[in-house]
Every structure is written in structure tokens, then in C-alpha cells.
Amino acid sequence: MVDNNEKILEELQKKSGNNVCADCGSEDPDWASYNLGIFICMRCASIHRGMGAHISKVKHLNLDRWEDSQVQRMKEVGNIVAKNKYEERVPPCYRKPNKYDPQVLIEQWIRAKYEREEFCHPERQSYLSGSMEGFLMKRGKEDSRYQLRKFVLNENEDSLKYHHASDGCGRAASCLDRLFDRLRIKNIGRWRYHVRENREPKGVLKLSELNVCFAPAKIGHMNSMQLTFMKDGSTRHIYVYHEEPEVINNWYTAIRCAQLHLLQVAFPSMPQSELVLRLPKDFAREGWLWKTGPRPSDAHRRRWFTLDNRKLMYHDEPLDAYPKGEIFVGHESNGYHIRVSNTGNGCKEARFPFQLVTPDRIFCLAATTHDDRSGWLAVLQQTIKRPLTPQDSTIEATLVRKRTTSNSINIFSGR
């Protein structure tokens, strides 16, 4: 009987829809949740187990013993039927993860589907209103310390603001501060004290100029994000995290939802499928490369490179608040291309050189390994061959100004 059940499961797993993980799309899943009736991969199976058996009961297709009733359940449901139920009302702004995405995104997708059943009950989707308030740990601009900051998302103002944690929040203020606030004591002897007022926010980010992505590997915290926007003609990075994965995922989704609403107002006749493509995207590639200056005699410097659509940025360190430089990567018809050399360039660590040729300058770059260079060549070649859009010209013009103006890149002009 067990052998027969194994054969039935094997045939079921080959059916269309069942041959990929129900949650992340990985090929040939060899686990299943038999009460939900879905086929899942090992990574997602571990998340299902973490939710508890009252939510999902997990078994391996071959290594565990299957009861007839459990196999029958798999027959009755399957991935397609389950998808129609548990993903019935996924908001268009919600990012559905794939197998390459960070753990926090996949885990919260699974918990949203089966534990909280957010997509069966839209009233449970707390990130659709266009507004959100809460506290996140934010990395300092000048140092590596993280401080508690209050963030306020307001779609109507096209803004994401952050404040000192104590601004408007008595919980974070000291007991002495609260006492003085009550008594309105302004001067005690030589000790001058100023009554707490509603301070201006420490920072105001325009939603329409904001890119947001998860950054656990870079920041070193599983539940972390990177906010990137244009400020005074240059790119600015902000790094935040929260101890609760659901909270950071809700912030990520709330930003995307608010941006989609802004786009729908700005472009009422544009199909929603096209507007979704303008929402925040992960960086195409990040990592260390070696770079020289414009002169052949310039020394090699190790820089952290980030490719954001057509904007190639380089930094001293991965968590720098500002890049040292920004390079627009245009189309091959305008003279942009890649040159590859295997002869070495005199730098022991930079053994695999290549050049990014632009109309204004040749950038001499190098990777430490052959595979790393191949990865960079692939994404750069793909970018150079991709046709330019009118929005790309906005990006190019902004970077050509070399930070002499405060012009911004936003979701309306493209990213």
C-alpha cells in the first residue's frame, strides 16, 4: 500500500502546477503539506513547520509514510486549487516571491497566505490605506550605530518622514523630560530647559522618488531594508531594520501600495500591469570591484558597486550613505559597450579586468574571480542592449548634471 501511495504521489507531483513549489516556484518540490494539499520545496517546508501543525502538516513525498486519506487530500486539492483559494485577493502591489528572494519575504508570503489568510480576508491587509506609523531602527549617516526612529508614511503628502523616537511619543522620553513638560519649567538657576515642542522631522523622503529593497546580507539583519532616493542631485541610502519580520514586510508592502496609488492618479489611462512595473525593484547586482581613475597611472581602489537599473554607483563601503560616484549605463547605439581583457592589469587582487566604455569616459574595472566578472558582464551587457525609454533619459540628464541641481528621479519619470 505504501508503494502504491508513493506512485500516486509521484504522478501527482508531475502534474502542471504541482511540479513547482506552491509558494516560491522552485522546480520539482519533494515535500508536501497534506492538510493544505500542496506540493512545496524543502525551504518552504521548513517555514510551514514553523507555523505549527495546526496550520500546516508537512511530510516528505518519499521518506515519510503516507496514509490513504492524506494521499486522497493531495488528489482533491493540489497547487492550482489551493492557489485559487489562498491567493484569491493578492493586491497588485504585493510582491510575490521567487526562490531567489530573501527569507523574510518568502516567510511572510507563506504566513500571510495560510496563517493570517490575508488574501482570503482583505480587511486583514493593514498596508493598503496609504498611511502607516511605527518605529524602525535606522543606521546613522555618519556612523554605524542604529537608533530608534519613528517613521510616518503619508500617501496624500507623497512622503515618508522619520523623527526622533521621542518626538510626540512619551514612552521614549525620559522621566525627567516628562516631568519638566508637565511643569513647563523653563529656567532652574543656571540650568536652562526648553519645553519640548513638536519638532520638524529629521528627514522627509518623497514616496515618488523612493526605491526600497530588502537587504539582509548587506545589513546583517534578517528583517532589514535599504531605502534609496535622490537628494540634492545625488543618491542617498538609508538602512533600517525591525526585530519583527511581519513589521518590516508590512512597511515594504505599504510603500509599494502607496506608490501604486500615486501612479494610478498620475496615469489614469495606463494599464495597472504597466504601473506595477514602475514599483521598486531589487538592484540588478551588487559587490566588490576594483576601479582605477581616468589616468593609466592611477592606482586600483576597491569599491562597492551597485547597479540600480541604468545607474551604476560605487562606494567606499557597502553601507555608505552616499556613493562616491554614479555612472549612467546607456544603450549600445549611443556608444556604450564593454571591453574584456585577459592579460591582467598589474594589480594582484584585480586579476579579471574589463572596461565600461561610455561616450565621455572609459571606466577601468576588475573583478577578483572569473565567475564574479562573468556575473557583472552579463548584467551590464543586458543593460546596454536594453532599449532606452524616455524615462531613462531623465535619469541620464540627472546624473550628467553631476549633483549641481536638486532634480530627482521618481516613479513618474521612471527609475
Side-chain angles (χ1 to χ4, degrees):
M1 182 62 67
V2 173
D3 291 340
N4 187 46
N5 281 340
E6 286 184 1
K7 291 179 181 179
I8 294 174
L9 289 169
E10 184 179 352
E11 291 301 315
L12 287 174
Q13 193 266 347
K14 292 179 181 178
K15 286 188 174 182
S16 177
N18 295 340
N19 58 350
V20 296
C21 175
D23 295 322
C24 74
S26 295
E27 297 82 4
D28 302 319
D30 50 6
W31 290 80
S33 171
Y34 61 85
N35 66 311
L36 297 175
I38 57 175
F39 294 84
I40 52 180
C41 68
M42 181 173 67
R43 182 186 185 185
C44 292
S46 66
I47 298 173
H48 277 256
R49 278 187 168 160
M51 292 190 294
H54 63 295
I55 303 293
S56 182
K57 296 176 171 62
V58 177
K59 279 190 174 183
H60 193 277
L61 295 180
N62 307 119
L63 301 180
D64 291 320
R65 182 177 181 275
W66 284 76
E67 303 293 338
D68 291 349
S69 60
Q70 297 166 356
V71 175
Q72 182 61 30
R73 177 65 175 169
M74 299 301 296
K75 282 184 180 180
E76 294 171 352
V77 186
N79 288 3
I80 293 178
V81 172
K83 180 183 179 72
N84 291 336
K85 175 184 178 181
Y86 292 104
E87 300 181 25
E88 180 184 5
R89 299 182 183 180
V90 179
C93 57
Y94 200 102
R95 177 177 166 182
K96 297 181 180 181
N98 60 46
K99 61 183 179 179
Y100 301 108
D101 282 325
Q103 182 76 4
V104 61
L105 185 61
I106 295 178
E107 178 181 348
Q108 289 309 304
W109 166 245
I110 291 172
R111 289 184 178 273
K113 285 170 67 174
Y114 310 113
E115 185 178 60
R116 301 189 291 270
E117 294 189 346
E118 291 179 9
F119 312 129
C120 301
H121 305 279
E123 68 275 8
R124 300 178 184 176
Q125 300 170 15
S126 62
Y127 34 75
L128 297 179
S129 65
S131 63
M132 183 174 285
E133 291 189 17
F135 294 87
L136 298 172
M137 298 298 293
K138 175 188 170 293
R139 191 177 195 270
K141 181 170 62 174
E142 305 297 340
D143 57 46
S144 60
R145 292 180 299 173
Y146 283 83
Q147 302 287 341
L148 189 66
R149 296 289 180 254
K150 181 180 180 181
F151 281 77
V152 180
L153 173 70
N154 191 322
E155 173 189 312
N156 294 329
E157 296 180 358
D158 187 18
S159 68
L160 176 64
K161 302 176 183 179
Y162 61 93
H163 308 252
H164 281 289
S166 59
D167 289 359
C169 180
R171 290 179 304 166
S174 70
C175 294
L176 188 60
D177 282 348
R178 292 199 299 270
L179 176 61
F180 284 166
D181 279 347
R182 293 193 191 101
L183 298 177
R184 295 296 190 267
I185 298 175
K186 295 187 177 181
N187 199 341
I188 305 178
R190 294 166 57 190
W191 184 5
R192 182 171 298 277
Y193 177 81
H194 298 277
V195 176
R196 182 186 304 279
E197 302 290 347
N198 290 327
R199 302 177 189 171
E200 291 297 316
K202 285 183 64 63
V204 180
L205 290 59
K206 288 179 67 68
L207 280 174
S208 54
E209 299 173 5
L210 186 64
N211 193 18
V212 56
C213 64
F214 290 103
K218 181 191 290 188
I219 296 176
H221 194 287
M222 292 293 291
N223 313 321
S224 57
M225 297 189 307
Q226 177 173 341
L227 308 173
T228 298
F229 58 100
M230 295 296 292
K231 180 179 180 181
D232 300 328
S234 181
T235 300
R236 169 81 158 93
H237 306 301
I238 290 178
Y239 308 96
V240 298
Y241 74 83
H242 196 279
E243 293 299 336
E244 295 296 328
E246 182 181 352
V247 172
I248 203 72
N249 189 71
N250 284 349
W251 272 106
Y252 177 82
T253 308
I255 291 170
R256 289 172 58 89
C257 289
Q259 288 185 335
L260 180 58
H261 296 159
L262 293 172
L263 286 167
Q264 289 170 333
V265 172
F267 305 102
S269 61
M270 185 175 292
Q272 182 172 268
S273 57
E274 293 186 23
L275 296 179
V276 170
L277 296 177
R278 297 196 180 197
L279 294 181
K281 298 179 178 63
D282 288 346
F283 300 134
R285 190 174 180 87
E286 284 193 286
W288 292 106
L289 288 174
W290 293 83
K291 175 186 176 296
T292 68
R295 298 181 298 273
S297 59
D298 288 339
H300 288 81
R301 303 292 184 187
R302 190 167 179 252
R303 303 293 186 225
W304 179 265
F305 277 78
T306 299
L307 179 60
D308 181 8
N309 191 13
R310 290 188 176 273
K311 184 168 58 175
L312 183 63
M313 300 171 281
Y314 53 95
H315 317 72
D316 283 331
E317 298 293 337
L319 296 180
D320 282 352
Y322 295 95
K324 289 184 69 67
E326 301 169 81
I327 309 166
F328 179 78
V329 183
H331 190 258
E332 58 186 355
S333 63
N334 295 327
Y336 292 86
H337 62 277
I338 300 292
R339 294 176 186 164
V340 181
S341 171
N342 293 312
T343 58
N345 56 9
C347 179
K348 183 178 180 180
E349 294 86 354
R351 297 175 53 205
F352 298 91
F354 62 96
Q355 295 177 338
L356 172 60
V357 181
T358 75
D360 301 318
R361 177 179 163 185
I362 298 175
F363 293 89
C364 299
L365 311 173
T368 304
T369 68
H370 179 273
D371 288 344
D372 192 27
R373 180 175 67 174
S374 297
W376 278 105
L377 292 178
V379 296
L380 288 171
Q381 292 282 18
Q382 183 181 30
T383 303
I384 289 172
K385 291 182 178 297
R386 189 172 70 240
L388 285 169
T389 66
Q391 294 77 25
D392 292 331
S393 300
T394 303
I395 300 175
E396 182 178 22
T398 302
L399 297 183
V400 164
R401 291 189 183 95
K402 297 180 181 178
R403 311 172 194 167
T404 58
T405 70
S406 59
N407 288 0
S408 301
I409 298 173
N410 56 57
I411 57 174
F412 305 127
S413 62
R415 182 172 297 280

